[in-house]
Amino acid sequence: MLHIILLCVSAVCLAVGIIGIAFAKSSKTVGNDPKKAKKKKMLFTVLAVFGGWLLIGTLITMFSSIKAGMKIEFALFSESISLFGLPVAKTTLVSFVITGIVLILGIIFRLFIFPKFSLESPKGFQNVMELGVEAMENFAKDSLLDYSGQLAPYMFTLALFMILSAFTELFGLRAPTSDLTTTFAMGLITFVLINFYGIKKKGVGGRIKGMTKPTPLVFPMKILSDIAVPVSLACRLFGNMLGGMIVMDLLKSVLGGYASGIPAVAGLYFNLFHPVIQAYIFIILSMTFINEAIE
């Protein structure tokens, strides 16, 4: 009985909204106040969208097994599949695909787009690319000093990988950055870069000496601090990305059949804005740790 009432309400809202939109357009053409006509059109558009959403959700609930409820399932590590007889995590395969896409795009860019760039009159896509590259180089220069030219491309690629990883959730896949093994591998790379550039700048003796300042008593704590870097970076990124995935799954389960459209709108934040923030935090922390090692 409730479903029948909801169907009637949704049909009325949809019909009134569509008729109202048509009326608002016609009243605008006959010379009425365009501001009032615009407000009426907006109001009826919202009513039509609500009616359509309610109608679709009610039909899905009536004719499918989807039920609303607080249910969520997740794991610290991704599920594994068999590939050539070997167990491989799904997020690992997704990471390989993303890496392949980035490599292919890079090759296409270098062979077919970059040669067409003009030094005298840059425009369009060239301006966008130059703006992005210059922004990353300037951003890295403040922290990485003489090594900014070497590390800025890596940081740019890392940000691109993290953002594309988040986009995979739009296709129903688990983002690699929500798998602890992936985030720990990223943190481990930062750990290697910290010590590599620290030794490159100061030498082995200088690196060890720098860890004894301001007093040799802090040396054991500096060792523990360095070891904790990949763990803290991995857990921070993993927790934030997994939290976004859990929120999306909870939203879908709570809404049940009425989840049409709403998770997609919420996904604009959790799959676009939120990953950009996490990429920025991961990169700025990585550069900060490297800067501490080369100072």
Side-chain angles (χ1 to χ4, degrees):
M1 184 63 181
L2 177 60
H3 289 155
I4 302 299
I5 295 174
L6 291 175
L7 282 176
C8 294
V9 171
S10 61
V12 170
C13 291
L14 183 61
V16 171
I18 294 174
I19 295 172
I21 293 172
F23 177 77
K25 287 183 178 180
S26 62
S27 63
K28 185 178 180 180
T29 57
V30 297
N32 290 341
D33 188 353
K35 291 185 178 180
K36 290 184 178 180
K38 188 176 181 179
K39 289 181 180 179
K40 288 181 179 179
K41 183 180 177 181
M42 179 63 69
L43 178 62
F44 286 120
T45 300
V46 172
L47 186 62
V49 171
F50 172 75
W53 168 77
L54 186 61
L55 178 64
I56 294 173
T58 304
L59 290 174
I60 292 175
T61 303
M62 289 177 63
F63 298 104
S64 73
S65 59
I66 299 176
K67 302 296 181 183
M70 291 288 291
K71 51 183 182 294
I72 184 68
E73 294 180 2
F74 70 93
L76 292 178
F77 304 101
S78 171
E79 296 179 5
S80 297
I81 60 174
S82 178
L83 184 66
F84 303 113
L86 298 174
V88 179
K90 289 183 178 180
T91 50
T92 301
L93 291 180
V94 174
S95 298
F96 288 157
V97 171
I98 294 172
T99 303
I101 291 173
V102 173
L103 287 174
I104 292 172
L105 291 177
I107 293 172
I108 293 174
F109 174 81
R110 183 63 183 86
L111 295 180
F112 301 104
I113 300 178
F114 181 75
K116 297 180 181 180
F117 281 2
S118 172
L119 295 176
E120 298 179 356
S121 57
K123 57 183 179 179
F125 181 68
Q126 181 178 350
N127 287 332
V128 175
M129 292 301 300
E130 289 182 357
L131 183 64
V133 171
E134 289 177 3
M136 178 56 73
E137 287 181 347
N138 294 331
F139 182 62
K141 194 175 293 182
D142 294 335
S143 298
L144 302 176
L145 306 176
D146 297 336
Y147 301 108
S148 60
Q150 301 175 27
L151 286 169
Y154 166 71
M155 298 299 174
F156 191 89
T157 305
L158 184 62
L160 184 61
F161 173 80
M162 294 175 66
I163 293 171
L164 290 178
S165 295
F167 281 173
T168 59
E169 290 188 15
L170 297 175
F171 300 95
L173 302 172
R174 177 169 179 170
T177 44
S178 65
D179 186 342
L180 189 57
T181 54
T182 301
T183 59
F184 184 74
M186 294 166 62
L188 195 59
I189 292 173
T190 296
F191 175 76
V192 172
L193 291 175
I194 291 170
N195 290 281
F196 173 79
Y197 282 98
I199 294 173
K200 184 176 182 180
K201 177 74 173 180
K202 304 176 181 178
V204 177
R207 172 66 174 151
I208 296 175
K209 184 178 179 180
M211 299 178 70
T212 60
K213 295 180 179 179
T215 170
L217 295 176
V218 303
F219 182 76
M221 291 181 285
K222 287 287 186 71
I223 292 291
L224 291 176
S225 177
D226 269 17
I227 295 175
V229 165
V231 178
S232 64
L233 286 174
C235 292
R236 181 184 289 107
L237 178 60
F238 164 73
N240 283 294
M241 297 305 298
L242 182 65
M245 185 184 73
I246 292 174
V247 170
M248 291 296 296
D249 287 346
L250 278 175
L251 186 61
K252 293 175 183 178
S253 64
V254 168
L255 292 174
Y258 295 95
S260 302
I262 294 179
V265 174
L268 294 176
Y269 171 79
F270 287 107
N271 299 119
L272 179 60
F273 184 66
H274 182 245
V276 170
I277 294 175
Q278 296 307 317
Y280 173 81
I281 294 173
F282 191 93
I283 289 172
I284 195 66
L285 287 175
S286 297
M287 292 194 299
T288 300
F289 290 133
I290 295 173
N291 180 58
E292 291 178 356
I294 63 178
E295 278 188 337

